[in-house]
Amino acid sequence: MSEQNRITINGNEFSFEAGETILEVARRNHIDIPTLCHLRGTVSNGECKICVVEIEGEDSLTASCSSPATDSMVVRTESPEVIAARRTTIRQMLSSGNHNCAVRGSDDRDWTQFQLNVQKEDDSSELCPVWGDCRLQDIAYRYQVSGEGFSKTDIPYHTERVNPFIVRDFSRCILCGRCVQACNEIQVNKAIAFGNRETATKIIAAGDRPLKDSDCVFCGECVQVCPVGALVEKDVRYRVRPWETEKVRTTCSYCGVGCQLDLHVKDGKVVKVSGTEDVAPNYGSLCVKGRFGFNFISSPERLTTPLIRENGEFREASWDEALDLVAKRFGEIKEKHGSDTMGLLTSARVTNEENYVAQKFTRAVLKTNNVDHCARL
Amino acid sequence: MTNTIADVEKADVILVTGSNTTENHPVLSAFVKRAVEFKNARLIVVDPRRIKLAGFAHQWLRPNLGTDVAWINGMMHVIIKEDIYDRTFVGTRTEGFEELKKVVEKFTPEYTEEITGIPAQQIIDAARMYAGAKAGSILYCMGITQHTTGTDNVKSLANLAMVCGNLGIEGGGVNPLRGQNNVQGACDLGGLPNVFSGYQPVNSIDAIKKMEEAWGVSGLSDKVGLKVTEMLPKAYNGEFKALYIIGENPLVSDPDLNHAEKCISNLDFLVVQDIFMTETAKIADVVLPSACFAEKEGTFSNTERRVQRVRKAVEPPGQAWDDWKITCEIATRMGYPMSYENPSAIFEEIATVTPSYAGLTYDRIEDEGLHWPCPTADHPGTPILHTAQFPRGRGQFHAIDFIPPAEKADDEYPMYLTTGRVIYHYHTGTMTRKTDGLNERSSGNFVEITPDDAQKHDLKDGDMVNVASRRGDITAAVKFSDKAVEGTVFIPFHFAESAANKLTNAALDPISGIPEFKVCAVRLSKAA
Ligand code: SF4
Ligand code: SF4
Ligand code: SF4
C-alpha cells in the first residue's frame, strides 16, 4: 500500500483514490455516514447537512458528501459535535412540515391539533403516507429526535394532485434537492428546479405550474428518490404500505431497453412498480409506461377462458374442447392443403422460451417454416 | 445493438436517426442526454421531425422522407474526399471500399441537398463532426427500417460506421433500438421464416440434421418460409389457409389495414392467443387466453442482447395459461408430445441447440443478465460485437445508390404522412390504454401539423380533420406542434378507432419484407 493517500476515519486508517469524497471512502469501508440528499450518479449538493463530519484541525463541521479525502486527514463521523449538529438539523426538518409520523412525538399537547390539521389537508386519518418507509423517520429514530419543542411552521404551499400519477406534498418536502438532481442529472428532463417564491423555497416546475403543464414526462424518477413523503405515487398514497407488499423483480414488458423493475404485490395484485436500484441496464430509472402502465395486468377485460366461434358468435369453452378443436382443424388443413398453407406468428411480447416452443411447433409439428413475428411492423 | 446501452455514455459523438428516442426508449434517451449534457459528447440528430432530442443536438439535419441513403452517402462523400476516414480500419478490417467510393462519388453536398433537402453545408459539418470522433455511436430505429429501402438504409449506416472505424470499439457501434421488449429474443429463438434459433439457416443440411436429432423428428422442411407480409397476400387469394397468432395484433399494426383485414378474414382457420380481445382476436375462430409477463417465469433479450429473467409475481386471471403450455398442448394433441416441467427446462433445451445461448443458465443470469454470444459455461458474454473480426471475417462495404420511396406526394395527395408512437402509449395500445392515467395524458388520436399547413387547409388546433390516402381514410383531431415540419403530418398508430395504418402503404422492402410505414402521400380536408 502506498504511503500517500491515507485517511483516518474513526481511528482506523484507509487508503483512497484521488478525487474520492470522504463519504465514498467511508461507505466503501462500511462506515455508515447517514445522508438524505446524496444521490448516486449526480454531483453532491451538500444541501441537507446530515452527512457532516468532524475533521481534526478544522473549526466547523464539513459535509462529507462534497469534500474530497486528503492525505493524513483525520475524520470522526459520530463525535458529540457531529451528533448534536445532526440532531438540530433533523429537528428543524421534522418541525418544518406535516411530518405526522410516530417520531414527531405524540405526547405533545399540540399534537392533537397538528394531527387534525394534517388530516384535513390530506383527507386521511392515518399517519404520514410513507410512515415506516421514510429516510427522515429512520434517521430521526437513529438519533432519537422528535419534532417537539418547535411549533409547526405554516405550510405556504398546498398539495398538488392535478395529474394522474404523482402527488406533490410540499408540506413534507425537506428541500433536499434529490428530485431536482434526478430530473436534471439522471433523466435530464429538466422539468423541475429550486425556485424562490416569495420567501419560502419550493421545488417548482415550469415557472411554478403544475407538473402536467410542464416538461414533466412522468418518469417518476423524482418519486423514487424522494427520501420522505413529499412525492408519492397517487395510487399508492394512503392505499399501500410497504409491509403489506411483496416485491418481485422482473423485466419491463414494453420497449426493448429491458429495464429491471420490482413489482410490488398486495393481495395478489400488482399495486406499484419501482426501478431496481444498482443493476444494468437502467440502474433504477424507468419511464412512464414501465412505472405507471401496469393496470392492464389486473384489467377486468383480460381474457379468462377459451372461446370458440359458433354461428358467428363466441361462446366459452373448456381448454380440452378448444385445444382438441385447434389440433383437429390444424391436422385437417395440413392433410388436405399441405403444411405450407399454414403458419404461425409468434411474438415480441412473449418470452424466449415461448418463442422457441412456438417455432419448434411450427417446424416439427406443422412441418413448415412459415413462422414470423411482427417486429417488421 | 453491436454495443451496450451504457456504452452510449462513452461515445464522443452520437448520431441518432429515425428514432424518437425520448418517447420510444425513454430510459435509453437519458444515456444520450447525459452524454451530451455532462460528458461533452456531440450529438447529431437526423430526423424529419423536430423531435425533443433535436433540442439537445449540436446539429439537427432534416431530410425529406425516405432519403436516408442519400444523406448517408453524402456524408461518406465528404469524409472520403477530405481524407478524414479511418484508413487503418478500412485497410485491415474491410473489403469493397473501392466500389463504395465509386458510388458515393456523385453524392456531392450539392447533389445530396437536391435529394434530401438538407443544406450542403450541414452535410459537410455533420460529416466532419462524425468523422472527428474517437468513438462515434450510431443509434437508429424504425425511422430507418420501415422503408422500401430499409435494408439499404441499415447497410448504409454500417458503411458509415466502418469508414470511420467505429465498430468493435467502446462507445462506437451501429445500434438498432428494438421497439418491442422481446423482438430481439423472438429473432434469436427462431421466430423467423429462414432460421432456427441462433440464426442457423433452415436450408442448411447440417442445421436440419441437428434439429431433427434434438427434436426427435424427421422431415423438417428445408424451404425458407413466408414472412408475415407474404402470408397475408397469399391468404387473400386463398393459397394460405390457417394462421396461429400469438400475442400480436396485426389488425392495428399492419400497413394498409383495410386490405389486411380482407386477407385475414379470408383464412379457413384463425387461432389467436392473447391476453385481451384484440381487434385481431375478434375475427378469430378460436381465442385462447394467455398469461401476461407478470404471471410467468422466463427470459427476455433486450436491445443490447442482454438475456434477462422474467419472474412470476401474480396468478393469471381465470383459466389463462402460459403461452408455452398452450402451444405444447396443441402439439401433443397433434401427435407430437411436447411437455416441459417449467420454462427453465425449455431454456436448458435452448442452450443445447443454440450456440449463442449455449453458456447461459437461469443461475448465471439471476442477478444481472448476460450479453449473447455466450458460447460456454465460463464465457463472460459479449457486450461489444466485432472487436477482432466480423462473423464473415472482413466487414463488407455495400455500394448502394439512392432509390426514392414508393409513393410520392402529387397533385391529388399533396402531403406526406409519417407514423410512430407517443410516450404514453405502446404499439397498438392494448396494454397502455387500460391505464386511466396514460389515457388522461394521451386520450386519443391526433394529426400533428404545422400551423402554416393547417391554415392552408382552413384548420385550427383541435379541429377534426379527414386524412385520406389511396388506401383509406381516417378522422382525427388537429394538433399544432413545433415537432411538425412543413409539408408532412405525423399520426401515431396506437389508436384502433382511427388507425393510422388504414392510410399507410404496404409496399415492402424486397429483402426484409418491412413495409414502408414511414412515408406515404395523403390529402387533408376539414371533417364535417
Ligand atoms: S416525473 Fe420525471 S420528468 Fe417529471 S418531475 Fe419527476 S423526474 Fe422530472
Ligand atoms: S420533494 Fe422530496 S426529493 Fe424533492 S426536495 Fe423535497 S424532499 Fe427532497
Ligand atoms: S421502463 Fe420504459 S424505457 Fe424501460 S423498458 Fe420499460 S418501456 Fe422501455
Side-chain angles (χ1 to χ4, degrees), chain A residues 91-92 94-95 102-111 145-152:
Chain A
R91 193 172 300 120
Q92 277 164 355
L94 277 179
S95 63
V103 295
R104 196 171 189 280
S106 46
D107 50 346
D108 190 3
R109 254 185 294 135
D110 295 337
W111 167 262
V145 185
S146 76
E148 287 170 74
F150 278 82
S151 57
K152 188 184 91 75

Side-chain angles (χ1 to χ4, degrees), chain A residues 251-261 282 285-291, chain B residues 24-28 181 426:
Chain A
T251 303
C252 180
S253 74
Y254 287 111
C255 86
V257 175
C259 291
Q260 294 299 291
L261 46 79
N282 52 311
S285 294
L286 294 175
C287 79
V288 64
K289 292 182 284 280
R291 189 182 301 275
Chain B
N24 294 330
H25 299 90
V27 168
L28 196 148
N181 62 320
Y426 176 76

Side-chain angles (χ1 to χ4, degrees), chain A residues 164-165 184-190 212 215-218 248-260 263 265 268-270 279-282 285-289 292-297 299 301-309 314 319-320 322-327 329-331 333 337 340-361 363-367 369-377, chain B residues 23-24 26-27 30-31 33-34 37-38 142 146 178-183 185 187 189-193 195-196 202 215 218-221 223 225-228 231 239-244 246-248 254 268-269 274-277 281-287 289-290 292-293 295-296 298-299 301-304 306 308-311 314 317 319 321 323-324 326 333 336 340 343 347 349-350 362 367-368 423-424 426 431 434-435 437 440-441 512 514:
Chain A
F165 304 117
N184 292 280
E185 294 178 45
I186 295 181
Q187 291 268 356
V188 205
N189 288 325
K190 304 190 192 179
K212 71 178 178 61
D215 284 336
C216 172
V217 289
F218 297 100
V248 178
R249 176 168 156 204
T250 189
T251 303
C252 180
S253 74
Y254 287 111
C255 86
V257 175
C259 291
Q260 294 299 291
L263 300 174
V265 181
K269 230 179 113 172
V270 176
V279 290
N282 52 311
S285 294
L286 294 175
C287 79
V288 64
K289 292 182 284 280
F292 294 110
F294 59 82
N295 289 6
F296 76 91
I297 300 169
S299 161
E301 290 172 47
R302 284 286 300 275
L303 292 169
T304 55
T305 163
L307 302 169
I308 292 177
R309 181 180 300 281
F314 282 125
W319 272 113
D320 268 332
L323 293 167
D324 281 341
L325 175 66
V326 172
R329 294 287 285 131
F330 279 166
I333 292 169
H337 301 288
D340 287 340
T341 66
M342 317 178 65
L344 182 149
L345 295 184
T346 178
S347 174
R349 322 306 333 286
V350 303
T351 62
N352 288 336
E353 291 76 2
E354 291 166 337
N355 274 293
Y356 174 80
V357 164
Q359 59 95 33
K360 177 174 173 182
F361 167 79
R363 296 185 158 116
V365 184
L366 297 184
K367 290 278 168 55
N369 286 311
N370 293 340
V371 52
D372 201 1
H373 64 281
C374 288
R376 301 167 205 282
L377 308 177
Chain B
E23 307 226 8
N24 294 330
V27 168
F31 286 80
K33 292 184 283 184
R34 287 197 299 263
E37 294 274 297
F38 305 112
M142 296 303 206
Q146 289 183 339
R178 304 297 196 159
Q180 299 184 52
N181 62 320
N182 203 28
V183 174
C187 296
L189 277 311
L192 290 168
V195 287
F196 296 109
V202 294
W215 293 345
S218 60
L220 291 184
S221 168
K223 201 172 112 202
L226 300 171
K227 301 178 183 114
V228 50
M231 291 179 200
E239 280 172 60
F240 193 75
K241 305 287 184 191
L243 190 55
Y244 176 10
I246 300 174
E248 295 279 7
D254 267 32
D268 282 2
F269 191 56
D274 211 307
I275 63 174
F276 287 113
M277 183 57 88
K282 280 183 194 145
I283 64 166
D285 296 291
V286 178
V287 176
S290 59
C292 80
F293 85 108
E295 296 150 1
K296 59 185 163 199
T299 55
S301 299
N302 79 350
T303 190
E304 51 171 2
R306 192 193 286 273
Q308 311 191 99
R309 283 281 277 117
V310 175
R311 295 184 186 84
V314 292
Q319 304 176 44
W321 281 3
D323 289 276
W324 63 270
I326 305 174
R333 281 157 211 254
Y336 177 75
Y340 298 91
F347 198 78
E349 180 175 319
I350 291 172
Y362 277 18
D367 293 330
E368 195 156 77
I423 189 169
Y424 296 105
Y426 176 76
M431 286 158 45
K434 303 288 187 302
T435 294
E440 189 178 326
R441 295 297 298 167
S512 71
I514 298 181

Side-chain angles (χ1 to χ4, degrees), chain B residues 69 213 391:
Chain B
V69 166
E213 258 165 41

Side-chain angles (χ1 to χ4, degrees), chain A residues 103-211:
Chain A
V103 295
R104 196 171 189 280
S106 46
D107 50 346
D108 190 3
R109 254 185 294 135
D110 295 337
W111 167 262
T112 318
Q113 192 52 45
F114 170 59
Q115 177 68 4
L116 286 175
N117 288 346
V118 179
Q119 284 180 15
K120 214 167 115 208
E121 171 90 17
D122 271 15
D123 202 16
S124 165
S125 59
E126 293 178 28
L127 294 179
C128 173
V130 297
W131 187 85
D133 184 22
C134 172
R135 303 296 79 74
L136 177 58
Q137 191 187 15
D138 294 347
I139 201 173
Y141 186 77
R142 171 166 164 184
Y143 290 100
Q144 290 294 302
V145 185
S146 76
E148 287 170 74
F150 278 82
S151 57
K152 188 184 91 75
T153 40
D154 277 338
I155 309 304
Y157 312 116
H158 285 289
T159 303
E160 177 186 321
R161 302 162 202 272
V162 288
N163 72 70
F165 304 117
I166 300 171
V167 175
R168 297 170 83 197
D169 178 352
F170 300 100
S171 80
R172 292 190 173 93
C173 174
I174 55 170
L175 296 171
C176 70
R178 277 169 75 100
C179 56
V180 174
Q181 290 186 302
C183 189
N184 292 280
E185 294 178 45
I186 295 181
Q187 291 268 356
V188 205
N189 288 325
K190 304 190 192 179
I192 50 177
F194 274 97
N196 235 325
R197 217 182 64 168
E198 287 139 43
T199 50
T201 305
K202 180 192 183 191
I203 306 299
I204 59 162
D208 207 6
R209 281 199 287 270
L211 282 183

Side-chain angles (χ1 to χ4, degrees), chain B residues 20 47-55 60 62 448 450 481-486:
Chain B
N20 187 2
D47 201 286
R49 296 169 70 212
R50 198 181 294 109
I51 54 173
K52 196 181 253 177
L53 219 45
W60 170 49
R62 197 265 157 192
E448 178 191 283
T450 65
S481 164
D482 56 14
K483 292 195 191 87
V485 178
E486 213 65 49

